[in-house]
């Protein structure tokens, strides 16, 4: 939170729509790639900032996908915004990489924000990058903070001859990009579930404070993931209503599948949180049980020595006449009595299973 506030302080005193990058710089050199495709044709190439100015907008029947790796370059975002007539607030939101998932309508195009996640298994932390999509009638613009490989499956589908994705419109391409982003969430969830299962096995065998710390880290990661993904559910639901008419009826059917996946992911995440909460209860119960066992062991030892303490105290009283005091074997009689009573009590404790760990 402190880091986010420090980034946001860059915009203090600036007017809405002012272009300044807010967030971390996650790639050194921005890269721009272009896909132009139709039913039976495809061209793919990269652009530099010098050649971007000469980029031609898609013709009728042609679709264009422009992808940017490195959403921190203000000059590049401004150049693309001018080329596609993007609103200043859209360009501002692209440069502000600390946003939650949302969708905004600007005349003849939609602006969609979602997030891509990655899980650090060693630190048990969730990291994320903002993905911004601009959907027009014949084009899709995507902006990523760095190259994550999220869109590689879509690129492979476009490179396949006679692929169905080439026959569809730009709205279907936007759906495909959202779909691969949501599908990657389940890979993150699988890693977190595996970590939770390993922690549960260790917890049942030998609970310790280090495991409790790891459970807390994993629970915090699941909460961060839920907080980031929950708004996406409303974004997909808004796209399903299709109030902007940017999606064809056939594509809306596919969006329903993305919505179902999002709901399924959130439900699975809730199950993971319940599992982690149960693990914390198991840890606390194990610690409490271990303390009870230690207290019981100390109690048994104390009770075994109490008769000996009582007998020695009686024979140590300052009386002139005490049984066995003048007897030559009185000392051994007293020891035998102490041992007999302790043995009898030990047998009773054993029969009641007070001497066992269970």
């Amino acid at each position: 939170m402190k880091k986010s506030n420090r980034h946001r302080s860059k915009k203090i005193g600036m007017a809405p729509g002012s272009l300044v990058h807010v967030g971390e710089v996650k790639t050194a050199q921005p890269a721009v790639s272009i896909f132009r495709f139709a039913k039976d044709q495809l061209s793919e190439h990269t652009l530099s900032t010098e050649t971007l100015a000469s980029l031609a907008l898609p013709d009728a029947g042609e679709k264009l996908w422009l992808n940017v790796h490195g959403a921190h370059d203000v000059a590049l975002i401004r150049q693309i915004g001018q080329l596609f007539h993007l609103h200043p607030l859209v360009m501002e939101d692209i440069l502000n990489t600390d946003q939650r998932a949302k969708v905004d309508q600007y005349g003849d195009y939609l602006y969609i924000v979602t997030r891509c996640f990655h899980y650090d298994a060693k630190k048990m932390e969730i990291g994320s990058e903002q993905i911004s999509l601009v959907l027009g009638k014949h084009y899709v613009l995507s902006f990523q903070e760095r190259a994550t490989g999220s869109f590689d499956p879509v690129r492979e589908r476009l490179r396949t001859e006679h692929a169905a994705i080439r026959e569809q419109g730009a709205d279907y391409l936007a759906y495909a990009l959202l779909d691969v982003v949501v599908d990657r969430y389940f890979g993150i969830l699988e890693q977190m579930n595996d970590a939770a299962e390993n922690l549960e096995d260790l917890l049942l065998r030998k609970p310790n404070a280090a495991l409790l710390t790891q459970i807390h880290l994993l629970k915090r990661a699941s909460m961060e993931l839920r907080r980031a993904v929950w708004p996406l559910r409303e974004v997909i639901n808004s796209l399903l209503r299709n109030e902007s008419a940017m999606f064809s009826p056939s594509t809306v059917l596919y969006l329903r599948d993305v919505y179902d996946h999002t709901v399924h992911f959130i439900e699975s995440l809730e199950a993971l949180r319940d599992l982690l909460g149960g693990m914390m209860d198991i840890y606390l119960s194990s610690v409490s049980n271990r303390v009870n066992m230690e207290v019981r062991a100390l109690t048994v030892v104390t009770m075994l020595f109490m008769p000996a303490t009582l007998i020695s105290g009686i024979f140590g009283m300052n009386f002139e006449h005490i049984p066995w005091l003048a007897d030559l074997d009185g000392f051994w009689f007293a020891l035998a009595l102490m041992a007999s009573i302790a043995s009898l009590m030990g047998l009773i404790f054993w029969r009641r299973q007070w001497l066992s760990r269970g």
Side-chain angles (χ1 to χ4, degrees):
M1 183 63 68
K2 293 181 180 178
K3 184 181 293 184
S4 176
N5 290 337
R6 184 169 66 249
H7 292 320
R8 290 181 181 276
S9 64
K10 299 177 182 179
K11 294 185 66 64
I12 294 177
M14 301 183 69
S18 300
L19 298 187
V20 59
H21 176 244
V22 178
E24 298 182 41
V25 177
K26 298 184 178 181
T27 183
Q29 185 64 34
V32 181
S33 62
I34 294 287
F35 276 84
R36 289 182 178 273
F37 61 94
K39 181 177 181 180
D40 299 319
Q41 64 182 21
L42 173 71
S43 64
E44 175 185 357
H45 53 278
T46 59
L47 293 179
S48 63
T49 54
E50 292 77 14
T51 58
L52 184 60
S54 60
L55 176 66
L57 297 180
D59 299 327
E62 184 184 48
K63 280 83 68 177
L64 181 144
W65 174 25
L66 183 148
N67 182 76
V68 176
H69 289 144
H72 64 274
D73 193 317
V74 176
L76 176 62
I77 301 302
R78 180 183 288 110
Q79 190 175 7
I80 295 175
Q82 292 173 351
L83 182 63
F84 288 90
H85 307 290
L86 300 182
H87 194 279
L89 290 177
V90 174
M91 292 185 283
E92 178 188 12
D93 287 344
I94 293 172
L95 290 166
N96 180 5
T97 56
D98 294 326
Q99 298 184 82
R100 66 199 296 264
K102 67 174 185 176
V103 56
D104 294 326
Q105 182 177 353
Y106 289 88
D108 58 349
Y109 63 88
L110 288 179
Y111 174 64
I112 305 170
V113 177
T114 184
R115 303 198 72 85
C116 176
F117 299 95
H118 58 85
Y119 175 68
D120 189 332
K122 292 184 178 180
K123 297 181 179 179
M124 290 189 172
E125 293 180 351
I126 288 291
S128 67
E129 287 84 30
Q130 177 173 301
I131 296 179
S132 299
L133 301 177
V134 178
L135 170 61
K137 290 293 184 181
H138 304 292
Y139 65 85
V140 174
L141 312 178
S142 56
F143 302 86
Q144 305 179 68
E145 294 188 68
R146 64 184 179 92
T148 60
S150 302
F151 295 157
D152 287 347
V154 178
R155 293 186 179 95
E156 293 302 321
R157 290 167 62 185
L158 285 172
R159 292 167 184 150
T160 304
E161 293 186 6
H162 309 296
I165 191 173
R166 293 191 191 178
E167 302 178 8
Q168 306 293 333
D171 59 332
Y172 186 87
L173 175 61
Y175 144 75
L177 297 178
L178 288 172
D179 186 51
V180 295
V181 169
V182 173
D183 285 344
R184 283 177 63 94
Y185 292 172
F186 289 94
I188 302 297
L189 184 62
E190 184 177 355
Q191 295 181 56
M192 296 177 67
N193 278 325
D194 291 342
E197 291 176 1
N198 293 334
L199 287 177
E200 187 176 27
D201 293 338
L202 294 173
L203 187 63
L204 293 175
R205 290 200 300 265
K206 189 177 181 181
N208 54 65
L211 291 179
L212 180 62
T213 300
Q214 293 180 350
I215 293 172
H216 274 296
L217 289 174
L218 196 57
K219 187 174 183 180
R220 184 171 63 183
S222 68
M223 292 176 63
E224 292 177 359
L225 192 58
R226 180 185 182 277
R227 186 164 52 249
V229 174
W230 187 266
L232 182 61
R233 178 180 180 179
E234 298 304 320
V235 169
I236 304 299
N237 192 30
S238 177
L239 296 178
L240 280 175
R241 292 195 295 268
N242 201 22
E243 297 174 352
S244 62
M246 293 296 296
F247 291 92
S248 64
S250 59
T251 306
V252 170
L253 296 177
Y254 290 104
L255 284 174
R256 290 179 184 174
D257 184 62
V258 179
Y259 180 80
D260 291 339
H261 288 173
T262 305
V263 173
H264 181 205
F265 175 79
I266 293 175
E267 292 175 349
S268 301
L269 199 57
E270 293 290 343
L272 175 62
R273 292 181 61 200
D274 292 341
L275 174 62
L276 294 172
M279 289 169 61
M280 295 184 67
D281 292 339
I282 292 175
Y283 173 81
L284 296 176
S285 299
S286 300
V287 171
S288 177
N289 183 63
R290 184 171 59 188
V291 171
N292 290 338
M293 293 298 103
E294 293 174 352
V295 170
R296 188 175 70 178
L298 293 174
T299 303
V300 168
V301 172
T302 302
M303 293 181 67
L304 289 176
F305 280 93
M306 281 181 64
T309 303
L310 175 63
I311 293 173
S312 62
I314 292 174
F315 279 92
M317 290 189 298
N318 191 20
F319 287 101
E320 185 175 351
H321 301 287
I322 297 178
W324 296 348
L325 190 61
D327 197 314
L328 295 178
D329 296 324
F331 172 73
W332 302 109
F333 290 154
L335 288 183
L337 181 61
M338 295 178 190
S340 300
I341 296 176
S343 299
L344 178 61
M345 293 179 66
L347 178 62
I348 294 174
F349 294 157
W350 177 76
R351 292 291 299 271
R352 294 187 177 183
Q353 297 183 351
W354 286 10
L355 301 179
S356 63
R357 298 184 62 183

